[in-house]
Amino acid sequence: MIACKTPAEIDKMRASAHVTARTLHELKHAVRPGVTTGELDARARERIRALGGEPAFLGYQGFSGSICSSVNDEVVHGIPGDRALKDGDLLKIDIGSRVDGWYSDMACSVPVGDVSDEGLTLLRVTEAALYEGIARVRPGAHVSDIGHAVQAHVEKHGFSVVRALVGHGIGASLHEDPPVPNFGQKGMGPVLRPGMALAIEPMVNAGTWRIETKPDQWTVVTADGRLSAHFEHTVVVTESGCEILTVTEEQRHELERANLHAARRGK
């Protein structure tokens, strides 16, 4: 069953999303060659708690980290530890918070030092695909409209979307209905209604869309060893469109300015 959140519940999700967005913003600035994924994890755990939340991933189905830290061909669910980042790495940080019983979920890909042209292009295309998907979120649209937009943008640039992993609903649980694939035909699946909250998260590979799981039973990698990128936002359907919850106030103003400029260019 797909739950539509009340305004009071959305306020709680908004508070959770602020903790997640603020923490990830700070983590991105800590990424550099030589830092370990475990150090980033410890920083995330400390900041989430300092901001009044609890790490959503810590202990989830036995996961040992407060973030997922996935490097290069690792798509998602990388376990933080003593791995030191190197110049040229592409790091994916997936992070979530729980505040007053309500969840938020967010991810981004961060270049470490001097990243290859392919890596930078993959990063840009994946982030743009996320916003292509978000732009389809409005009352009356279908869940599959999101994935169709993501897939079209990604494949136009010669990359591929992961099929076996998808986005999801979110709220009082970290993972709720409906599943939100990053591929598919338009006009399929549940109809979006105000109050529905979704975690939209394109996972995009430079090569094949096929993936494998490492022996640790968590870390997902590309089947061909090529690079992967990942971006994610938690959004809520509004009466007129959607609101991105997982942004800081500064980022919200930047998005509003970008949308205003885009609207002016379209006139």
Side-chain angles (χ1 to χ4, degrees), residues 172-204:
S173 298
L174 180 59
H175 295 102
E176 299 181 352
D177 287 333
V180 185
N182 295 303
F183 61 94
Q185 299 178 352
K186 292 190 290 186
M188 307 292 288
V191 175
L192 301 180
R193 293 177 293 155
M196 290 173 61
L198 307 171
I200 301 172
E201 50 177 324
M203 290 154 276
V204 178

Side-chain angles (χ1 to χ4, degrees), residues 46-69:
E46 177 184 342
R47 290 302 297 148
I48 289 172
R49 288 175 173 163
L51 291 168
E54 282 296 324
F57 301 167
L58 186 61
Y60 181 79
Q61 296 184 356
F63 190 73
S64 60
S66 295
I67 63 170
C68 297
S69 54

Side-chain angles (χ1 to χ4, degrees), residues 5 33 39 43 85 102 108 153 170 177 219-220 226 228 246:
K5 281 65 179 177
E39 289 169 340
R43 182 185 290 247
L85 297 174
W102 291 83
C108 72
H153 185 79
I170 187 170
D177 287 333
T219 309
V220 176
R226 295 182 65 183
S228 185
T246 42

Side-chain angles (χ1 to χ4, degrees), residues 16-248:
S16 173
H18 174 78
V19 171
T20 300
R22 174 56 60 187
T23 302
L24 183 56
H25 180 72
E26 295 180 15
L27 282 186
K28 287 169 61 177
H29 291 286
V31 172
R32 63 184 184 279
V35 72
T36 68
T37 56
E39 289 169 340
L40 294 173
D41 184 69
R43 182 185 290 247
R45 183 165 57 253
E46 177 184 342
R47 290 302 297 148
I48 289 172
R49 288 175 173 163
L51 291 168
E54 282 296 324
F57 301 167
L58 186 61
Y60 181 79
Q61 296 184 356
F63 190 73
S64 60
S66 295
I67 63 170
C68 297
S69 54
S70 310
V71 183
N72 297 333
D73 66 326
E74 296 174 351
V75 182
V76 288
H77 303 162
I79 303 172
D82 59 5
R83 179 175 187 169
L85 297 174
K86 302 189 303 295
D87 185 70
D89 282 343
L90 183 60
L91 171 68
K92 281 77 71 178
I93 303 174
D94 195 354
I95 185 170
S97 303
R98 183 179 68 254
V99 175
D100 197 18
W102 291 83
Y103 287 86
S104 56
D105 196 358
M106 185 180 188
C108 72
S109 299
V110 186
V112 183
D114 187 14
V115 173
S116 68
D117 289 342
E118 179 183 61
L120 292 175
T121 301
L122 178 64
L123 187 155
R124 288 193 294 268
V125 168
T126 306
E127 185 173 23
L130 169 61
Y131 288 103
E132 288 288 334
I134 291 173
R136 273 64 182 180
V137 179
R138 60 178 66 90
H142 290 258
V143 167
S144 68
D145 297 347
I146 300 169
H148 179 82
V150 169
Q151 182 180 17
H153 185 79
V154 167
E155 293 183 352
K156 179 176 68 176
H157 290 85
F159 298 129
S160 64
V161 295
V162 171
R163 308 297 179 91
L165 300 169
V166 299
H168 51 91
I170 187 170
S173 298
L174 180 59
H175 295 102
E176 299 181 352
D177 287 333
V180 185
N182 295 303
F183 61 94
Q185 299 178 352
K186 292 190 290 186
M188 307 292 288
V191 175
L192 301 180
R193 293 177 293 155
M196 290 173 61
L198 307 171
I200 301 172
E201 50 177 324
M203 290 154 276
V204 178
N205 297 345
T208 180
W209 54 266
R210 291 181 171 83
I211 57 175
E212 299 173 352
T213 303
K214 285 186 173 182
D216 63 21
Q217 298 301 307
W218 279 106
T219 309
V220 176
V221 298
T222 59
D224 57 8
R226 295 182 65 183
L227 290 175
S228 185
H230 179 208
F231 283 87
E232 177 181 20
H233 271 308
T234 294
V235 308
V236 64
V237 184
T238 66
E239 294 291 342
S240 59
C242 78
E243 177 186 352
I244 302 175
L245 299 182
T246 42
V247 289
T248 63

Side-chain angles (χ1 to χ4, degrees), residues 256-267:
E256 289 171 352
R257 286 195 295 270
N259 289 336
L260 177 61
H261 293 326
R264 288 173 173 169
R265 287 197 301 271
K267 289 182 179 180

